[in-house]
């Protein structure tokens, strides 16, 4: 809890509400602030490496909420802090726990749906929606191991971002420039999935391979397993959400019978329904739902 408090203070300093032109940071102050934030995030990565993932998962909602409060960045110093925080979230979500990746995505997409569909949403949600779209796309791109760390978003965003071919090309070009700055940037974590991917792709382009064939095969297998679980979990959860939404407009006495029929149809759709939404965030362990007892539903 002390680390979370420190993280909040350095990620969201008290003067963040001031206009960018009023704030003045010396280079040494900027370095000290960003280095302290990086040190706190490294501490949480140490916990993951030491097998204490559940300790990190306990504070995961607070970490995700701090990240959303940091968006959108309104200056160089805020951009550096956001980059460090996102680097941490991406590393934990892709390297240590796909369950935490799903928790992260559900929170971000809920904020997006509110900001994109509601005219009465909070102004802060409307301001950060494009930053959230970019981050969700990056997260999915790393989970699916897309080249250049970009190209994802189709599974998580569910049609919320549908660029044309020309727009997609423009986005990829802009992201390539951003990734180049990241690769040679001065502020980063020592364990960064995003940076490691960029460096590995650069070595492969030069004909060098940073890992053995066996290690690369295992990494690809882990990526495929996490990507399949991630996709199936989101699809399954949305199916259940669609059923609940359908029942909401029915008379209460009719709901139980209709729910049984919906579950029968869902069970008949395939052997594996999707990622189990009740999974605990344990590294390397994923379970999928294979059947829903049709008589155990409640509406």
């Amino acid at each position: 809890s002390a680390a979370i408090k420190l993280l909040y203070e350095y990620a969201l300093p008290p003067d963040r509400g001031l206009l960018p032109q009023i704030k003045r940071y010396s280079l040494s102050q900027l370095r000290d602030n960003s280095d302290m934030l990086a040190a706190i995030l490294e501490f949480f990565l140490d916990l993951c490496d030491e097998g204490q993932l559940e300790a990190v998962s306990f504070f995961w909602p607070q970490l995700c909420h701090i990240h959303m409060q940091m968006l959108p960045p309104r200056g160089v110093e805020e951009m550096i802090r956001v980059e460090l925080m996102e680097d941490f979230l991406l590393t934990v979500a892709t390297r240590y726990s796909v369950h935490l990746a799903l928790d992260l995505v559900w929170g971000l997409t809920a904020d997006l749906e509110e900001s994109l569909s509601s005219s009465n949403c909070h102004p802060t949600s409307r301001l950060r929606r494009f930053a959230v779209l970019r981050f969700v796309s990056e997260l999915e791109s790393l989970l699916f191991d897309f080249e250049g760390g970009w190209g994802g978003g189709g599974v998580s965003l569910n049609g919320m971002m549908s660029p044309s071919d020309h727009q997609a090309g423009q986005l990829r070009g802009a992201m390539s420039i951003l990734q180049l700055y990241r690769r040679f940037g001065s502020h980063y974590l020592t364990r960064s999935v995003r940076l490691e991917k960029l460096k590995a792709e650069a070595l492969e382009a030069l004909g060098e391979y940073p890992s053995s064939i066996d290690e690369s095969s295992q990494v690809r297998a882990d990526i495929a397993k996490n990507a399949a679980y991630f996709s199936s979990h989101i699809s399954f959860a949305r199916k259940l959400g669609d059923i609940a939404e359908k029942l909401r407009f029915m008379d209460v006495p009719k709901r139980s019978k209709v729910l049984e029929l919906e579950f029968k149809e869902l069970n008949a759709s395939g052997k594996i329904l999707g990622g189990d939404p009740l999974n605990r965030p344990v590294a390397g362990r994923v379970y999928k739902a294979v059947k829903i007892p049709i008589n155990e539903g409640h509406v």
Side-chain angles (χ1 to χ4, degrees):
S1 59
I4 285 288
K5 183 178 179 181
L6 279 173
L7 177 64
Y8 183 85
E9 291 174 353
Y10 280 92
L12 298 164
D15 62 352
R16 186 177 184 271
L18 299 177
L19 293 174
Q21 61 266 30
I22 297 176
K23 294 186 287 184
R24 293 291 182 268
Y25 285 98
S26 67
L27 290 176
S28 60
Q29 286 177 313
L30 182 58
R31 167 63 69 178
D32 290 343
N33 291 341
S34 59
D35 282 353
M36 186 61 187
L37 178 59
I40 299 167
L41 295 173
E42 293 281 2
F43 166 75
F44 285 111
L45 289 176
D46 288 339
L47 292 179
C48 295
D49 281 338
E50 293 167 3
Q52 300 185 51
L53 182 61
E54 289 196 9
V56 176
S57 70
F58 181 80
F59 293 108
W60 193 248
Q62 291 96 314
L63 293 166
C64 297
H65 187 62
I66 289 172
H67 167 242
M68 279 206 290
Q69 286 182 283
M70 297 169 74
L71 299 175
R74 295 169 292 182
V76 174
E77 60 273 8
E78 290 188 13
M79 175 64 79
I80 290 172
R81 291 197 294 269
V82 168
E83 284 285 298
L84 288 171
M85 188 68 184
E86 292 187 349
D87 213 3
F88 164 76
L89 294 173
L90 291 170
T91 300
V92 174
T94 57
R95 177 178 292 175
Y96 297 103
S97 175
V98 67
H99 307 101
L100 295 182
L102 286 160
D103 288 345
L104 179 58
V105 163
W106 285 124
L108 292 169
T109 52
D111 186 73
L112 267 178
E113 286 177 357
E114 181 182 359
S115 65
L116 293 173
S117 62
S118 174
S119 59
N120 298 320
C121 73
H122 195 278
T124 306
S125 295
R126 185 171 286 110
L127 281 172
R128 65 179 172 230
R129 58 185 171 180
F130 298 114
V132 173
L133 279 168
R134 187 262 314 154
F135 180 65
V136 172
S137 298
E138 279 198 80
L139 171 59
E140 189 175 307
S141 300
L142 287 172
L143 271 171
F144 288 39
D145 197 32
F146 289 165
E147 183 179 356
W150 184 253
V155 174
S156 306
L157 295 174
N158 196 31
M160 284 185 274
M161 186 175 75
S162 303
S164 65
D165 291 341
H166 175 71
Q167 290 170 330
Q170 293 292 316
L171 284 170
R172 181 171 290 278
M175 282 301 300
S176 297
I177 296 172
L178 177 59
Q179 300 287 42
L180 188 63
Y181 281 115
R182 285 170 172 166
R183 186 182 163 203
F184 296 102
S186 58
H187 299 81
Y188 52 85
L189 301 177
T190 59
R191 287 154 290 185
S192 166
V193 167
R194 185 162 57 187
L195 191 58
E196 288 171 6
K197 178 172 179 57
L198 293 175
K199 288 182 176 179
E201 289 182 350
L203 288 173
E204 289 180 10
L206 296 173
E208 302 177 19
Y209 299 93
S211 57
S212 66
I213 295 177
D214 291 340
E215 185 180 349
S216 298
S217 299
Q218 183 59 47
V219 170
R220 285 196 295 270
D222 290 341
I223 289 171
K225 180 183 73 172
N226 287 338
Y229 177 80
F230 181 88
S231 302
S232 66
H233 174 103
I234 288 182
S235 175
F236 182 42
R238 284 189 174 136
K239 285 178 183 177
L240 295 178
D242 291 342
I243 291 173
E245 188 69 9
K246 179 179 179 180
L247 296 175
R248 188 163 70 93
F249 297 98
M250 289 187 176
D251 295 334
V252 175
K254 298 179 180 179
R255 291 179 181 177
S256 296
K257 188 62 178 178
V258 173
L259 182 60
E260 288 184 14
L261 295 174
E262 291 287 346
F263 281 165
K264 279 184 179 179
E265 184 178 347
L266 193 59
N267 288 333
S269 62
K271 294 182 180 180
I272 302 297
L273 298 181
D276 186 357
L278 301 180
N279 272 324
R280 295 177 62 193
V282 179
R285 190 183 304 168
V286 295
Y287 299 102
K288 293 185 178 181
V290 295
K291 183 180 179 181
I292 300 178
I294 63 173
N295 296 321
E296 294 184 13
H298 176 73
V299 287

